[in-house]
Amino acid sequence: MKLVLATLNSGKIAEFRQILMDKSFVNVRSLLDYPTIPGIIESRRTFAGNAIKKAVEVSKHINAVTIADDSGLEIDALDGEPGVLSARYAGENSTPGQLITKVLKRLEKTPDVERTARFRCAIALVIPSCEETVIEVVEGVCEGKVTLNKRGEHGFGYDPIFVPLGYNQTFAELGSEIKNKISHRAKALGMIMKLILS
Ligand code: IMP
């Protein structure tokens, strides 16, 4: 089965591929394989809204099962920021370093006990059909907290400053094998695979 990931984010693509590694019947593609598909503006106010928009737009160009992920970090002490703005929190084309610097600066005076946060991942699924196109959306959450400093080299985005609940190391220290078992993305993708296979 061909499964198109409606993203150009290489960090996300690597994680999807690893999570789906034992599903040998799934032939994973991404927008890197379809360079002519135009970029999609994430204009919605929720992760689910943006995920649906991306999956629906991409599926108009490709007649295959398509999924899109919209995800980010919600920090309680910042009233849920950066949230849907996670990729652009320090301005358009923010680097991971700039994003992390901004978050740590805004949390400068926040004590450890109040640094609770979660990663949220919405994944939308589109299964095109001439009879009835299926559109579903699910969400996975990974609770944890934001560290005082960057730690670790693995992963992408905010991984160096996020410690998942029940662990002492950041996602960037834990590495992909553990992250991809407990992450927001792994949970959401598990739900999506159940829907695809049901
Ligand atoms: P978007 O889903 O393309 O809007 O981008 C979400 C942004 O949230 C990414 O660019 C990262 O900065 C951040 N993000 C989402 N998921 C993760 C994750 O698993 N680890 C670290 N950062 C993440």
Side-chain angles (χ1 to χ4, degrees):
M1 179 192 79
K2 185 157 88 176
L3 179 66
V4 179
L5 312 177
T7 185
L8 287 166
N9 180 320
S10 54
K12 289 183 184 179
I13 295 168
E15 290 190 3
F16 276 117
R17 286 191 184 281
Q18 184 168 355
I19 297 165
L20 291 169
M21 215 159 52
D22 60 338
K23 308 268 186 300
S24 52
F25 61 92
V26 182
N27 176 3
V28 179
R29 297 292 167 92
S30 75
L31 292 190
L32 296 174
D33 300 303
Y34 302 94
T36 56
I37 295 182
I40 297 152
I41 295 167
E42 296 181 5
S43 54
R44 302 281 158 82
R45 287 168 183 222
T46 63
F47 293 114
N50 279 326
I52 291 170
K53 180 176 178 184
K54 288 189 268 188
V56 168
E57 287 298 317
V58 168
S59 71
K60 286 181 189 163
H61 299 269
I62 307 166
N63 191 29
V65 178
T66 302
I67 62 173
D69 153 319
D70 198 62
S71 48
L73 184 63
E74 298 173 343
I75 301 171
D76 294 325
L78 302 179
D79 294 325
E81 285 185 14
V84 285
L85 295 179
S86 288
R88 295 165 272 156
Y89 196 47
E92 283 304 324
N93 306 316
S94 308
T95 64
Q98 290 167 331
L99 295 171
I100 286 175
T101 301
K102 177 160 182 187
V103 165
L104 292 182
K105 178 96 190 122
R106 294 210 55 201
L107 291 178
E108 220 168 24
K109 297 195 172 75
T110 308
D112 187 54
V113 285
E114 289 172 26
R115 297 172 80 96
T116 50
R118 69 207 51 75
F119 273 122
R120 189 180 296 279
C121 172
I123 299 183
L125 165 71
V126 176
I127 306 177
S129 158
C130 42
E131 283 158 25
E132 188 183 5
T133 294
V134 172
I135 303 177
E136 299 278 2
V137 64
V138 301
E139 277 194 2
V141 167
C142 181
E143 297 286 343
K145 59 184 177 181
V146 176
T147 52
L148 297 169
N149 299 299
K150 270 167 85 159
R151 297 190 332 236
E153 303 297 328
H154 300 284
F156 70 102
Y158 298 92
D159 282 346
I161 57 165
F162 183 82
V163 172
L165 193 65
Y167 293 80
N168 294 316
Q169 292 174 297
T170 65
F171 265 158
E173 292 174 302
L174 290 167
S176 61
E177 204 169 317
I178 295 179
K179 181 182 178 190
N180 290 333
K181 285 199 176 92
I182 63 171
S183 79
H184 46 309
R185 190 161 293 106
K187 288 174 187 164
L189 190 54
M191 292 181 234
I192 286 290
M193 289 313 291
K194 276 194 188 147
L195 286 173
I196 290 175
L197 299 173
S198 64

